[in-house]
Amino acid sequence: LTYDVYYEYINPELKMRRERLRKLFFQVVREFERRNQPGNGATDEAGEKADEAGGRRVDIDRINSCMGRLLERKYFESVPPEHEIISLATAINSYTSDRSIATDDLYQCVNRCVASNNIEGVILLRVSKFFTGVFALFMGFLAVFLQTLGFSLGWVYMTMGVIIGSAVGPASITILMEKANGMFVGAGAIGGLIIGLIGWFTKAKVDSDEVTYDSLGKDWPWVVGNLCAILSGLFIALVGSLAMPDEDFKWEQLNERIPLVDDIEPPKDAQETDDKLQTQVKIAIGASLVLTFVLLILWPLPLHGSAGVFNESSFT
Protein backbone atom coordinates (compact mmCIF):
# COMPACT_ATOMS: atom_id res chain seq x y z
CA LEU A 1 0.00 0.00 0.00
CA THR A 2 2.83 2.39 0.84
CA TYR A 3 4.46 1.73 -2.50
CA ASP A 4 1.16 2.09 -4.39
CA VAL A 5 0.61 5.54 -2.86
CA TYR A 6 4.19 6.58 -3.59
CA TYR A 7 4.07 5.14 -7.10
CA GLU A 8 0.74 6.71 -8.05
CA TYR A 9 0.77 10.09 -6.31
CA ILE A 10 4.10 11.10 -4.77
CA ASN A 11 6.42 10.12 -7.61
CA PRO A 12 4.31 9.56 -10.74
CA GLU A 13 7.43 10.08 -12.85
CA LEU A 14 8.47 6.60 -11.76
CA LYS A 15 5.28 5.20 -13.24
CA MET A 16 5.82 7.17 -16.43
CA ARG A 17 9.36 5.79 -16.72
CA ARG A 18 8.18 2.22 -16.36
CA GLU A 19 5.36 2.63 -18.89
CA ARG A 20 7.73 4.31 -21.33
CA LEU A 21 10.28 1.50 -21.05
CA ARG A 22 7.62 -1.18 -21.31
CA LYS A 23 6.18 0.39 -24.44
CA LEU A 24 9.66 0.78 -25.92
CA PHE A 25 10.53 -2.85 -25.20
CA PHE A 26 7.51 -4.28 -26.99
CA GLN A 27 7.91 -1.87 -29.90
CA VAL A 28 11.48 -3.02 -30.45
CA VAL A 29 10.85 -6.72 -29.88
CA ARG A 30 7.93 -6.67 -32.31
CA GLU A 31 10.46 -6.22 -35.11
CA PHE A 32 12.11 -9.52 -34.17
CA GLU A 33 9.07 -11.67 -33.50
CA ARG A 34 8.36 -14.68 -35.63
CA ARG A 35 5.13 -13.33 -37.03
CA ASN A 36 6.94 -10.26 -38.38
CA GLN A 37 9.78 -12.10 -40.03
CA PRO A 38 9.72 -11.95 -43.83
CA GLY A 39 8.61 -15.06 -45.61
CA ASN A 40 6.69 -16.60 -42.74
CA GLY A 41 3.40 -16.02 -44.53
CA ALA A 42 1.73 -14.42 -41.51
CA THR A 43 -0.83 -11.75 -42.27
CA ASP A 44 -1.66 -8.85 -40.01
CA GLU A 45 -4.90 -10.56 -39.06
CA ALA A 46 -3.03 -13.74 -38.15
CA GLY A 47 -0.57 -11.69 -36.15
CA GLU A 48 -3.36 -10.09 -34.16
CA LYS A 49 -4.82 -13.51 -33.41
CA ALA A 50 -1.40 -14.68 -32.29
CA ASP A 51 -1.19 -11.69 -29.95
CA GLU A 52 -4.56 -12.52 -28.42
CA ALA A 53 -3.58 -16.15 -27.96
CA GLY A 54 -0.28 -15.23 -26.36
CA GLY A 55 1.59 -16.64 -29.38
CA ARG A 56 4.16 -13.88 -29.83
CA ARG A 57 7.61 -15.47 -29.82
CA VAL A 58 11.18 -14.53 -30.68
CA ASP A 59 13.67 -16.98 -32.17
CA ILE A 60 16.75 -17.56 -30.05
CA ASP A 61 18.96 -16.72 -33.03
CA ARG A 62 17.58 -13.18 -33.04
CA ILE A 63 17.94 -12.45 -29.32
CA ASN A 64 21.39 -10.84 -29.66
CA SER A 65 20.18 -8.51 -32.40
CA CYS A 66 17.12 -7.67 -30.32
CA MET A 67 19.23 -6.82 -27.26
CA GLY A 68 21.48 -4.66 -29.40
CA ARG A 69 18.51 -2.74 -30.73
CA LEU A 70 17.18 -2.22 -27.20
CA LEU A 71 20.56 -0.81 -26.20
CA GLU A 72 20.51 1.53 -29.20
CA ARG A 73 17.03 2.76 -28.30
CA LYS A 74 18.18 3.59 -24.74
CA TYR A 75 16.08 0.92 -23.07
CA PHE A 76 19.02 0.18 -20.78
CA GLU A 77 20.47 2.96 -18.63
CA SER A 78 23.95 1.59 -19.39
CA VAL A 79 25.58 -1.45 -20.93
CA PRO A 80 24.69 -4.42 -18.71
CA PRO A 81 27.71 -5.92 -16.91
CA GLU A 82 28.99 -9.34 -17.88
CA HIS A 83 27.49 -11.21 -14.92
CA GLU A 84 24.02 -9.86 -15.75
CA ILE A 85 24.42 -10.91 -19.38
CA ILE A 86 25.33 -14.43 -18.25
CA SER A 87 22.35 -14.49 -15.90
CA LEU A 88 20.08 -13.27 -18.70
CA ALA A 89 21.32 -15.96 -21.08
CA THR A 90 20.68 -18.63 -18.46
CA ALA A 91 17.17 -17.34 -17.81
CA ILE A 92 16.35 -17.19 -21.51
CA ASN A 93 17.55 -20.77 -21.99
CA SER A 94 15.27 -21.93 -19.19
CA TYR A 95 12.26 -20.46 -21.02
CA THR A 96 13.30 -21.64 -24.47
CA SER A 97 10.98 -23.97 -26.33
CA ASP A 98 11.26 -24.92 -29.99
CA ARG A 99 14.29 -22.64 -30.36
CA SER A 100 12.20 -19.61 -29.38
CA ILE A 101 10.96 -17.73 -26.34
CA ALA A 102 7.63 -16.04 -25.68
CA THR A 103 7.79 -12.25 -25.77
CA ASP A 104 6.29 -11.91 -22.29
CA ASP A 105 8.83 -14.39 -20.90
CA LEU A 106 11.65 -12.46 -22.56
CA TYR A 107 10.40 -9.27 -20.93
CA GLN A 108 10.37 -10.94 -17.52
CA CYS A 109 13.87 -12.34 -18.05
CA VAL A 110 15.30 -8.96 -18.99
CA ASN A 111 13.70 -7.17 -16.05
CA ARG A 112 14.65 -9.85 -13.55
CA CYS A 113 18.26 -10.36 -14.65
CA VAL A 114 19.40 -6.89 -15.71
CA ALA A 115 19.22 -5.43 -12.21
CA SER A 116 21.32 -2.41 -13.16
CA ASN A 117 18.35 -1.15 -15.18
CA ASN A 118 15.91 -1.48 -12.28
CA ILE A 119 15.61 1.34 -9.78
CA GLU A 120 12.24 0.71 -8.15
CA GLY A 121 13.46 -1.94 -5.71
CA VAL A 122 15.93 0.47 -4.12
CA ILE A 123 13.28 3.18 -3.96
CA LEU A 124 10.73 0.80 -2.42
CA LEU A 125 13.13 -0.17 0.36
CA ARG A 126 13.90 3.48 1.11
CA VAL A 127 10.23 4.49 1.07
CA SER A 128 9.23 1.53 3.27
CA LYS A 129 11.85 2.40 5.89
CA PHE A 130 10.81 6.04 5.88
CA PHE A 131 7.09 5.39 6.32
CA THR A 132 7.76 2.71 8.95
CA GLY A 133 9.60 5.32 10.99
CA VAL A 134 6.86 7.90 10.44
CA PHE A 135 4.19 5.40 11.50
CA ALA A 136 6.09 4.44 14.66
CA LEU A 137 6.57 8.08 15.67
CA PHE A 138 2.94 8.95 14.96
CA MET A 139 1.56 6.00 16.92
CA GLY A 140 3.82 6.78 19.86
CA PHE A 141 2.68 10.39 19.85
CA LEU A 142 -0.97 9.34 19.53
CA ALA A 143 -0.74 6.92 22.47
CA VAL A 144 0.83 9.56 24.72
CA PHE A 145 -1.65 12.20 23.55
CA LEU A 146 -4.71 10.03 24.23
CA GLN A 147 -3.33 8.95 27.60
CA THR A 148 -2.83 12.61 28.51
CA LEU A 149 -6.47 13.33 27.64
CA GLY A 150 -7.56 10.52 29.94
CA PHE A 151 -8.36 7.85 27.35
CA SER A 152 -6.92 4.56 28.56
CA LEU A 153 -5.39 2.16 26.07
CA GLY A 154 -8.06 -0.45 26.81
CA TRP A 155 -10.85 2.05 26.18
CA VAL A 156 -9.30 3.10 22.87
CA TYR A 157 -8.72 -0.52 21.86
CA MET A 158 -12.34 -1.52 22.44
CA THR A 159 -13.60 1.62 20.75
CA MET A 160 -11.60 0.81 17.63
CA GLY A 161 -13.85 -2.21 17.16
CA VAL A 162 -16.82 0.11 16.75
CA ILE A 163 -14.92 2.52 14.52
CA ILE A 164 -13.29 0.08 12.09
CA GLY A 165 -15.46 -3.02 12.60
CA SER A 166 -17.86 -1.86 9.91
CA ALA A 167 -15.15 -2.37 7.28
CA VAL A 168 -14.63 -6.07 8.10
CA GLY A 169 -17.69 -7.32 6.23
CA PRO A 170 -17.23 -5.14 3.12
CA ALA A 171 -13.54 -6.08 2.97
CA SER A 172 -14.48 -9.76 3.10
CA ILE A 173 -17.00 -9.27 0.33
CA THR A 174 -14.40 -7.68 -1.95
CA ILE A 175 -12.11 -10.69 -1.46
CA LEU A 176 -14.71 -13.45 -1.73
CA MET A 177 -17.17 -12.04 -4.25
CA GLU A 178 -16.11 -11.24 -7.80
CA LYS A 179 -19.28 -9.28 -8.52
CA ALA A 180 -19.10 -7.13 -5.40
CA ASN A 181 -20.48 -3.65 -6.04
CA GLY A 182 -17.89 -1.02 -5.11
CA MET A 183 -20.53 1.58 -4.28
CA PHE A 184 -22.27 -0.68 -1.77
CA VAL A 185 -18.96 -1.89 -0.34
CA GLY A 186 -18.09 1.72 0.47
CA ALA A 187 -21.62 2.37 1.72
CA GLY A 188 -21.34 -0.67 3.97
CA ALA A 189 -18.18 0.62 5.62
CA ILE A 190 -19.58 4.12 6.17
CA GLY A 191 -23.13 3.06 6.98
CA GLY A 192 -21.89 0.39 9.37
CA LEU A 193 -19.80 2.98 11.19
CA ILE A 194 -22.83 5.24 11.65
CA ILE A 195 -25.07 2.39 12.81
CA GLY A 196 -22.35 1.11 15.14
CA LEU A 197 -21.93 4.52 16.77
CA ILE A 198 -25.70 4.84 17.15
CA GLY A 199 -25.93 1.42 18.78
CA TRP A 200 -22.98 2.15 21.07
CA PHE A 201 -24.32 5.50 22.27
CA THR A 202 -27.90 4.25 22.55
CA LYS A 203 -26.97 1.26 24.71
CA ALA A 204 -24.87 3.48 26.98
CA LYS A 205 -27.81 5.88 27.34
CA VAL A 206 -30.30 3.08 28.08
CA ASP A 207 -28.09 1.36 30.66
CA SER A 208 -26.69 4.40 32.47
CA ASP A 209 -29.19 7.12 31.56
CA GLU A 210 -26.26 9.21 30.33
CA VAL A 211 -23.57 9.19 27.68
CA THR A 212 -20.20 9.71 29.30
CA TYR A 213 -16.70 8.31 29.13
CA ASP A 214 -17.54 5.80 31.86
CA SER A 215 -20.90 4.73 30.44
CA LEU A 216 -19.45 4.27 26.97
CA GLY A 217 -16.65 2.19 28.46
CA LYS A 218 -18.91 -0.52 29.88
CA ASP A 219 -19.05 -3.99 28.36
CA TRP A 220 -22.55 -4.05 26.89
CA PRO A 221 -22.36 -0.73 25.02
CA TRP A 222 -19.15 -1.96 23.40
CA VAL A 223 -20.72 -5.32 22.53
CA VAL A 224 -23.77 -3.69 20.96
CA GLY A 225 -21.67 -1.12 19.10
CA ASN A 226 -19.29 -3.74 17.71
CA LEU A 227 -22.08 -6.06 16.61
CA CYS A 228 -24.04 -3.25 14.99
CA ALA A 229 -20.97 -2.06 13.10
CA ILE A 230 -19.85 -5.50 11.89
CA LEU A 231 -23.27 -6.93 10.99
CA SER A 232 -24.71 -3.79 9.39
CA GLY A 233 -21.59 -3.21 7.30
CA LEU A 234 -21.72 -6.80 6.06
CA PHE A 235 -25.47 -6.60 5.41
CA ILE A 236 -25.27 -3.41 3.34
CA ALA A 237 -22.33 -4.62 1.24
CA LEU A 238 -23.72 -8.12 0.67
CA VAL A 239 -27.32 -7.20 -0.10
CA GLY A 240 -26.29 -4.32 -2.33
CA SER A 241 -23.82 -6.49 -4.25
CA LEU A 242 -26.42 -9.22 -4.74
CA ALA A 243 -29.06 -6.73 -5.86
CA MET A 244 -26.75 -4.77 -8.19
CA PRO A 245 -23.74 -6.98 -9.01
CA ASP A 246 -20.73 -5.58 -10.83
CA GLU A 247 -20.73 -7.41 -14.17
CA ASP A 248 -17.62 -5.71 -15.55
CA PHE A 249 -14.90 -6.69 -13.10
CA LYS A 250 -13.03 -9.99 -13.42
CA TRP A 251 -10.39 -11.40 -11.10
CA GLU A 252 -7.94 -11.54 -14.01
CA GLN A 253 -7.89 -7.74 -14.15
CA LEU A 254 -5.93 -7.63 -10.89
CA ASN A 255 -2.85 -8.93 -12.70
CA GLU A 256 -3.00 -5.96 -15.04
CA ARG A 257 -3.78 -3.22 -12.52
CA ILE A 258 -1.62 -4.01 -9.49
CA PRO A 259 1.79 -2.38 -9.95
CA LEU A 260 4.78 -4.68 -9.53
CA VAL A 261 8.14 -3.52 -8.27
CA ASP A 262 10.38 -3.07 -11.33
CA ASP A 263 7.47 -4.55 -13.33
CA ILE A 264 8.68 -8.02 -12.34
CA GLU A 265 6.24 -10.74 -11.37
CA PRO A 266 7.46 -12.61 -8.26
CA PRO A 267 8.83 -16.05 -9.13
CA LYS A 268 6.44 -18.91 -8.49
CA ASP A 269 7.18 -22.21 -6.87
CA ALA A 270 7.26 -25.00 -9.43
CA GLN A 271 4.70 -26.85 -7.30
CA GLU A 272 2.39 -23.84 -6.99
CA THR A 273 -0.46 -25.24 -9.04
CA ASP A 274 -4.19 -24.56 -8.90
CA ASP A 275 -4.79 -28.02 -7.45
CA LYS A 276 -2.29 -27.37 -4.67
CA LEU A 277 -3.89 -24.00 -3.87
CA GLN A 278 -7.34 -25.60 -3.72
CA THR A 279 -5.98 -28.21 -1.33
CA GLN A 280 -4.54 -25.47 0.87
CA VAL A 281 -7.91 -23.70 0.87
CA LYS A 282 -9.61 -26.86 2.10
CA ILE A 283 -6.95 -27.30 4.80
CA ALA A 284 -7.46 -23.69 5.95
CA ILE A 285 -11.24 -24.12 6.11
CA GLY A 286 -10.93 -27.39 8.02
CA ALA A 287 -8.42 -25.94 10.48
CA SER A 288 -10.68 -22.93 11.08
CA LEU A 289 -13.69 -25.13 11.82
CA VAL A 290 -11.70 -27.38 14.15
CA LEU A 291 -10.18 -24.41 16.00
CA THR A 292 -13.62 -22.80 16.38
CA PHE A 293 -15.06 -26.03 17.78
CA VAL A 294 -12.17 -26.47 20.23
CA LEU A 295 -12.18 -22.89 21.52
CA LEU A 296 -15.94 -22.40 21.76
CA ILE A 297 -17.27 -25.88 22.61
CA LEU A 298 -14.73 -28.58 23.43
CA TRP A 299 -12.69 -26.50 25.86
CA PRO A 300 -15.12 -24.18 27.75
CA LEU A 301 -18.31 -26.28 27.98
CA PRO A 302 -16.87 -29.14 30.06
CA LEU A 303 -15.35 -26.59 32.42
CA HIS A 304 -18.68 -24.80 32.66
CA GLY A 305 -20.54 -28.06 33.26
CA SER A 306 -18.25 -29.11 36.08
CA ALA A 307 -17.75 -25.75 37.79
CA GLY A 308 -20.75 -23.68 36.71
CA VAL A 309 -20.26 -19.96 36.34
CA PHE A 310 -16.65 -19.07 37.05
CA ASN A 311 -15.92 -16.81 39.98
CA GLU A 312 -12.80 -14.79 40.61
CA SER A 313 -10.96 -17.69 42.23
CA SER A 314 -11.45 -19.80 39.09
CA PHE A 315 -9.02 -17.57 37.21
CA THR A 316 -6.35 -17.39 39.94
Side-chain angles (χ1 to χ4, degrees):
L1 177 60
T2 299
Y3 187 68
D4 287 347
V5 172
Y6 179 83
Y7 179 80
E8 292 286 345
Y9 304 106
I10 300 178
N11 190 0
E13 293 81 6
L14 194 63
K15 179 179 181 180
M16 295 170 59
R17 174 185 180 273
R18 175 197 291 182
E19 292 179 346
R20 177 180 60 80
L21 290 179
R22 184 184 181 91
K23 182 178 180 180
L24 175 61
F25 179 89
F26 284 101
Q27 283 179 345
V28 171
V29 174
R30 182 176 291 270
E31 303 173 13
F32 298 89
E33 291 173 352
R34 276 184 171 181
R35 65 182 185 83
N36 284 332
Q37 294 178 22
N40 66 355
T43 63
D44 291 340
E45 182 179 354
E48 292 177 1
K49 291 182 178 179
D51 286 354
E52 295 175 358
R56 298 170 57 177
R57 303 186 68 84
V58 180
D59 285 334
I60 294 299
D61 297 338
R62 310 198 74 193
I63 293 295
N64 287 337
S65 300
C66 180
M67 293 298 107
R69 185 67 59 82
L70 287 172
L71 189 60
E72 292 176 4
R73 296 287 299 275
K74 306 298 183 183
Y75 177 81
F76 300 107
E77 297 286 344
S78 59
V79 178
E82 183 177 354
H83 70 276
E84 290 184 352
I85 295 177
I86 296 174
S87 177
L88 176 60
T90 303
I92 291 175
N93 287 333
S94 66
Y95 282 95
T96 298
S97 174
D98 189 26
R99 297 287 300 168
S100 66
I101 181 173
T103 301
D104 288 340
D105 290 338
L106 179 60
Y107 181 67
Q108 291 293 327
C109 289
V110 171
N111 277 344
R112 185 172 291 118
C113 297
V114 187
S116 58
N117 201 50
N118 300 333
I119 62 175
E120 294 183 30
V122 177
I123 294 176
L124 172 60
L125 183 60
R126 184 168 65 243
V127 171
S128 298
K129 290 180 177 179
F130 172 77
F131 280 103
T132 299
V134 171
F135 176 78
L137 292 174
F138 173 75
M139 293 306 295
F141 164 78
L142 183 62
V144 174
F145 178 71
L146 292 175
Q147 188 70 37
T148 302
L149 294 179
F151 294 94
S152 67
L153 185 59
W155 195 94
V156 173
Y157 179 80
M158 295 298 293
T159 302
M160 289 300 294
V162 181
I163 297 175
I164 67 175
S166 60
V168 173
S172 301
I173 294 297
T174 60
I175 297 173
L176 300 175
M177 188 175 181
E178 185 178 51
K179 296 184 178 181
N181 187 303
M183 180 179 65
F184 283 100
V185 167
I190 298 174
L193 169 62
I194 296 173
I195 295 174
L197 291 174
I198 292 174
W200 183 30
F201 279 71
T202 301
K203 183 60 177 175
K205 177 67 175 178
V206 170
D207 288 354
S208 304
D209 200 30
E210 61 179 355
V211 178
T212 62
Y213 175 85
D214 292 331
S215 65
L216 290 173
K218 294 182 178 179
D219 289 340
W220 277 110
W222 269 327
V223 171
V224 172
N226 276 266
L227 288 177
C228 287
I230 294 174
L231 296 179
S232 60
L234 175 62
F235 178 81
I236 295 172
L238 180 59
V239 173
S241 296
L242 291 175
M244 300 177 61
D246 183 355
E247 302 291 350
D248 298 327
F249 175 77
K250 302 298 179 184
W251 290 125
E252 293 78 9
Q253 296 176 5
L254 291 177
N255 292 332
E256 302 172 1
R257 297 182 180 180
I258 296 179
L260 302 174
V261 179
D262 289 324
D263 211 13
I264 301 174
E265 184 176 352
K268 294 182 179 179
D269 187 346
Q271 299 179 348
E272 190 176 332
T273 62
D274 290 339
D275 292 338
K276 181 179 179 181
L277 292 177
Q278 290 299 325
T279 301
Q280 292 174 339
V281 169
K282 294 177 181 178
I283 293 174
I285 294 175
S288 300
L289 294 176
V290 171
L291 184 61
T292 301
F293 175 77
V294 170
L295 293 179
L296 298 184
I297 298 177
L298 186 61
W299 182 18
L301 287 188
L303 295 175
H304 176 71
S306 61
V309 179
F310 292 167
N311 53 31
E312 183 178 354
S313 62
S314 301
F315 297 94
T316 59

